[in-house]
């Protein structure tokens, strides 16, 4: 993440390369384009980030077809960017290894739907003893938590 909008844009340009009039016609005429002082002619580093072959077990990698899809989704020019329908029909989704049926995918619940007690236990496991003690004291003094628990109890009844 960038520390601000211009820093974020700089990071994007370092990864995807800087736009040119060929890749995004008229981008220099955008309102704040003059504020961006990235190196001109920087090339995309997506292939470096996602190599064709994993170097070690569990390394990220991406085939040429996958890189093609990624590049089309991250194209700067909205007129040239792939649509959602085109992306879903891209060859990468037909490439081996094929995806599994949605019913076979693991279920991941949004964090805001996980009960607070469960989150509390999960957070506690990641802390050392001193941090656990501080966190417990914080929870003990957190009256909002008690109110939330009471409301949840009454809502269930």
């Amino acid at each position: 993440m960038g520390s601000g909008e211009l820093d974020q844009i700089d990071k994007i340009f370092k990864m995807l390369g800087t736009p040119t009039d060929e890749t995004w016609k008229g981008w220099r005429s955008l309102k704040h384009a003059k504020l961006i002082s990235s190196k001109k002619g920087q090339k995309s580093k997506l292939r470096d980030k996602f190599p064709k072959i994993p170097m070690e077990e569990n390394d990220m990698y991406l085939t040429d077809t996958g890189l093609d899809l990624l590049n089309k989704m991250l194209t700067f020019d909205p007129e040239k960017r792939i649509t959602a329908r085109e992306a879903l029909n891209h060859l990468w989704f037909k490439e081996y290894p094929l995806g599994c049926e949605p019913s076979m995918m693991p279920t991941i619940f949004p964090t805001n739907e996980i009960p607070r007690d469960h989150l509390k236990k999960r957070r506690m496991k990641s802390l050392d003893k001193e941090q656990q003690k501080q966190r417990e004291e914080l929870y003990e003094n957190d009256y909002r938590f008690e109110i939330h628990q009471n409301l949840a109890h009454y809502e269930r009844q």
Side-chain angles (χ1 to χ4, degrees):
M1 294 269 292
S3 59
E5 290 179 358
L6 292 178
D7 186 44
Q8 185 64 41
I9 289 171
D10 187 55
K11 289 179 183 305
I12 291 169
F13 288 173
K14 284 179 181 174
M15 180 57 64
L16 301 180
T18 52
T20 64
D21 284 329
E22 290 174 4
T23 59
W24 189 357
K25 188 176 180 181
W27 89 277
R28 279 279 176 205
S29 63
L30 294 173
K31 187 175 180 180
H32 299 292
K34 292 176 183 81
L35 298 174
I36 300 164
S37 60
S38 286
K39 296 175 186 171
K40 292 182 179 181
Q42 253 183 316
K43 300 290 184 199
S44 172
K45 295 181 181 171
L46 284 174
R47 178 45 82 199
D48 298 336
K49 182 75 175 171
F50 302 101
K52 285 184 187 184
I53 303 168
M55 300 301 162
E56 295 178 20
E57 190 175 345
N58 298 325
D59 268 359
M60 288 191 299
Y61 71 98
L62 193 61
T63 63
D64 287 336
T65 311
L67 184 66
D68 178 64
L69 174 61
L70 188 59
N71 277 320
K72 287 179 177 178
M73 291 192 299
L74 297 176
T75 296
F76 290 121
D77 188 346
E79 298 295 320
K80 295 178 182 176
R81 195 174 304 134
I82 193 171
T83 66
R85 185 175 316 269
E86 291 168 337
L88 288 172
N89 290 321
H90 194 274
L91 288 174
W92 183 75
F93 289 107
K94 296 165 184 69
E95 187 175 79
Y96 181 81
L98 295 175
C100 64
E101 289 293 320
S103 62
M104 301 298 290
M105 296 293 291
T107 305
I108 302 171
F109 296 100
T111 307
N112 61 349
E113 293 181 14
I114 297 174
R116 188 170 174 113
D117 288 341
H118 182 72
L119 285 175
K120 181 179 168 184
K121 289 175 188 172
R122 188 188 304 169
R123 287 185 193 123
M124 290 297 204
K125 286 180 183 176
S126 66
L127 305 174
D128 64 31
K129 296 281 185 202
E130 182 62 30
Q131 290 172 324
Q132 285 181 6
K133 183 179 176 187
Q134 290 173 353
R135 182 66 57 93
E136 285 170 3
E137 290 171 3
L138 179 70
Y139 279 123
E140 286 173 12
N141 297 325
D142 189 357
Y143 300 109
R144 293 173 300 162
F145 177 61
E146 290 175 22
I147 293 168
H148 178 75
Q149 276 187 320
N150 290 336
L151 285 174
H153 174 73
Y154 289 116
E155 287 174 356
R156 282 186 243 126
Q157 291 180 345

